[in-house]
Amino acid sequence: MSLDFSKNFLFGCATASYQVEGASFEDGRKPCIWDTFASIPGKVYCGDDGKVSVDQYHRYKEDIELMDKLGIQAYRFSIAWPRIIPNGRGEVNPKGIAYYRNLCEELHKRGIKAYATIYHWDLPQTLQDEGGWTNRQIAYDYLEYAKACFDNLNDVVDSWITINEPFCITWLSYLYGAHAPGYQDMSLAVKAVHHVNLAHGLAMKYYRDKGYTAPIGITVNPQTPRPATRKESDIEAALLSRALETEVFLGPYTGKGYPQILTDKLGITFPIEDGDLELISAKVDFFGINYYNEYPVSADESNPLGFAQQPFWERKTNIGWPCDSEGLFRQLKWLDEYTNHTPLYITENGSCEDDKLTLDNRVHDKERINYLYNHLEACSDAIKAGVDLRGYFVWSFIDNYEWTEGYSKRFGIVYADYKTLKRYPKDSAYFYRDVIAGYGKIDR
């Protein structure tokens, strides 16, 4: 069976600044919250940090040349706030601007589109010291940072994404404590949710008011779990989970406001001020979707949130996540309806596998190829079912710093030797090359 995509469908790859750039203290960059978090014993595997990573800051031309050889049509990267405004607010760093201009210009020389994410988690530590995303002022600090990106880079960026994965910035980082800055406090998390949403809205208003025309949107990682059973309690638990972890963002972005169920069931209210919801609901050109898995959930009275994930039957990737491409199809169908048929892009999708470099410098990652094929097939099926899905970005272009997992987990279609920093395309890179070229077939 072949994968059926139109000639206009965009195939890309993705990374994030802290995960690949390295050069943490070069050319004026100052510490971000992940520099701080990684230095806390026990927070990150082996105490790994992003000081060097795969050194894309110095090797971006080499990486872009490789993207070109693989037929990649677009590169989704993120801009590092502590490179552009090192102190979080105030003076713009010309060396930071120059780096991203050079990156975009090199992409264009190869005919590759530049998809820039303004914020992918590397908040300047100076702003965290003032409360980070729990402090309403940060939405306005973000606006000034976004202005610097728009005004200095709009002529070389083909498409903009304001924020990557609000769920991770807020619930994962302020409620569950798993990511930087590592808090576990519902009241702080609720504030962070609203301030991230407000930051997005402020940036959208500025962008529209300036008359910039490159497409702009936001990337979410929707949690759309399935009920573990047909019991009404489990069905309600799945709806509550989706409201808390997904609709709390998509609702305001699409003019629906915050889900009432969160107040009714969990007593949550958000620190809304006059005009906030109007700003946040500014129309986007697209929604980016990061999808990796779908979990079954059930009602759980012992959990303060009222629901809990349940065991699953699917194969686990090397990071422990279930492989569920049918979940992607279901999610795309739901998102298409919920967003009133707003164009969608898969801005991240990929698989963590136990990759081994052979003596002849190859990586035979058959499990990842199967994962990618099945999820691309789900994308193809969703398009046939009427979903306005316009592109797919594999996560990730290259093995990199996987947040709290450090360098122990690999998602790349390109293998990184962390000692020599040499790059080796995996079999999945050549599979993806064939998909882009129109030959997406594998032996079943």
Side-chain angles (χ1 to χ4, degrees):
M1 184 181 296
S2 62
L3 303 173
D4 186 16
F5 294 99
S6 75
K7 291 183 179 179
N8 294 326
F9 192 82
L10 186 70
F11 288 101
C13 61
T15 65
S17 50
Y18 191 77
Q19 292 181 270
V20 298
E21 286 181 359
S24 292
F25 302 104
E26 290 189 39
D27 292 338
R29 183 192 180 279
K30 290 191 176 180
C32 75
I33 56 174
W34 275 94
D35 294 307
T36 302
F37 195 67
S39 70
I40 301 172
K43 293 297 185 182
V44 175
Y45 177 83
C46 287
D48 291 343
D49 59 38
K51 289 187 180 71
V52 176
S53 187
V54 293
D55 194 35
Q56 192 173 85
Y57 189 78
H58 298 111
R59 298 167 186 260
Y60 69 91
K61 290 185 179 181
E62 175 186 351
D63 284 345
I64 292 169
E65 180 181 8
L66 184 50
M67 291 176 203
D68 185 21
K69 289 179 179 178
L70 294 173
I72 300 295
Q73 297 172 316
Y75 180 38
R76 178 185 172 233
F77 59 93
S78 76
I79 299 170
W81 192 335
R83 287 200 195 282
I84 301 300
I85 305 180
N87 292 317
R89 66 172 70 99
E91 187 176 351
V92 174
N93 177 20
K95 291 184 178 180
I97 296 294
Y99 170 70
Y100 293 107
R101 287 197 67 86
N102 291 339
L103 175 71
C104 292
E105 289 170 356
E106 190 67 23
L107 288 167
H108 290 159
K109 287 178 186 177
R110 300 278 182 171
I112 300 171
K113 292 185 176 181
Y115 273 59
T117 301
I118 297 173
Y119 182 73
H120 196 134
W121 309 356
D122 41 4
L123 184 70
Q125 182 60 42
T126 52
L127 297 182
Q128 184 59 50
D129 293 341
E130 299 178 10
W133 289 103
T134 70
N135 181 354
R136 184 179 171 93
Q137 174 59 38
I138 199 173
Y140 299 93
D141 294 330
Y142 170 85
L143 172 61
E144 294 305 312
Y145 162 54
K147 285 181 181 179
C149 294
F150 293 145
D151 294 346
N152 288 284
L153 298 171
N154 195 63
D155 61 316
V156 290
V157 169
D158 297 289
S159 191
W160 292 98
I161 294 168
T162 56
I163 291 171
N164 179 78
E165 297 185 350
F167 166 84
C168 294
I169 299 166
T170 59
W171 297 130
L172 198 61
S173 303
Y174 286 92
L175 178 61
Y176 302 135
H179 277 191
Y183 293 109
Q184 293 177 291
D185 186 313
M186 174 62 87
S187 64
L188 294 180
V190 168
K191 291 178 182 178
V193 166
H194 185 63
H195 298 153
V196 166
N197 290 344
L198 178 60
H200 161 73
L202 289 167
M204 289 296 302
K205 184 179 188 306
Y206 177 81
Y207 190 83
R208 298 300 191 203
D209 287 349
K210 288 285 287 188
Y212 291 134
T213 57
I216 185 170
I218 186 169
T219 281
V220 294
N221 55 324
Q223 310 299 302
T224 51
R226 61 184 185 269
T229 73
R230 292 187 180 186
K231 295 177 184 177
E232 189 64 31
S233 59
D234 288 351
I235 294 171
E236 291 178 357
L239 292 175
L240 179 58
S241 173
R242 190 180 72 193
L244 179 72
E245 299 179 330
T246 299
E247 293 175 54
V248 75
F249 306 110
L250 283 176
Y253 302 157
T254 55
K256 299 178 178 67
Y258 289 109
Q260 183 62 36
I261 192 175
L262 299 183
T263 302
D264 296 343
K265 296 286 188 180
L266 301 177
I268 294 174
T269 57
F270 295 92
I272 303 168
E273 296 187 8
D274 288 346
D276 285 0
L277 292 180
E278 182 181 357
L279 278 169
I280 296 167
S281 65
K283 183 175 176 55
V284 297
D285 297 314
F286 63 88
F287 285 106
I289 307 302
N290 292 355
Y291 178 88
Y292 293 94
N293 52 62
E294 174 194 81
Y295 280 92
V297 301
S298 66
D300 186 349
E301 294 182 358
S302 68
N303 188 317
L305 298 177
F307 60 87
Q309 292 181 353
Q310 294 302 315
F312 52 87
W313 59 269
E314 298 93 345
R315 180 184 80 86
K316 292 182 181 180
T317 64
N318 196 41
I319 205 168
W321 298 345
C323 299
D324 189 355
S325 58
E326 286 298 316
L328 175 56
F329 177 82
R330 287 188 285 267
Q331 186 178 97
L332 286 170
K333 286 286 290 177
W334 177 78
L335 285 164
D336 177 62
E337 181 177 348
Y338 189 87
T339 66
N340 194 28
H341 315 297
T342 301
L344 304 175
Y345 287 82
I346 301 295
T347 40
E348 288 183 25
N349 177 242
S351 181
C352 176
E353 304 296 345
D354 186 18
D355 299 318
K356 303 296 183 187
L357 190 66
T358 64
L359 292 176
D360 59 350
N361 294 328
R362 296 294 298 271
V363 177
H364 303 303
D365 53 339
K366 184 176 181 180
E367 296 280 21
R368 180 176 289 108
I369 290 171
N370 285 328
Y371 179 100
L372 295 178
Y373 184 92
N374 290 334
H375 286 75
L376 284 163
E377 189 174 47
C379 292
S380 179
D381 290 344
I383 293 169
K384 292 172 187 174
V387 175
D388 189 3
L389 180 64
R390 300 190 179 185
Y392 175 96
F393 290 74
V394 67
W395 183 272
S396 62
F397 168 67
I398 189 169
D399 297 330
N400 55 52
Y401 182 78
E402 188 48 44
W403 307 113
T404 56
E405 302 290 346
Y407 297 102
S408 68
K409 304 298 180 184
R410 294 178 180 268
F411 277 88
I413 59 171
V414 173
Y415 184 93
D417 183 323
Y418 294 124
K419 293 182 179 179
T420 66
L421 296 179
K422 289 184 178 179
R423 280 87 157 122
Y424 303 96
K426 304 175 188 178
D427 286 357
S428 58
Y430 299 125
F431 162 72
Y432 194 50
R433 180 193 63 189
D434 279 358
V435 169
I436 298 169
Y439 302 98
K441 297 182 179 181
I442 62 173
D443 293 331
R444 293 303 223 172

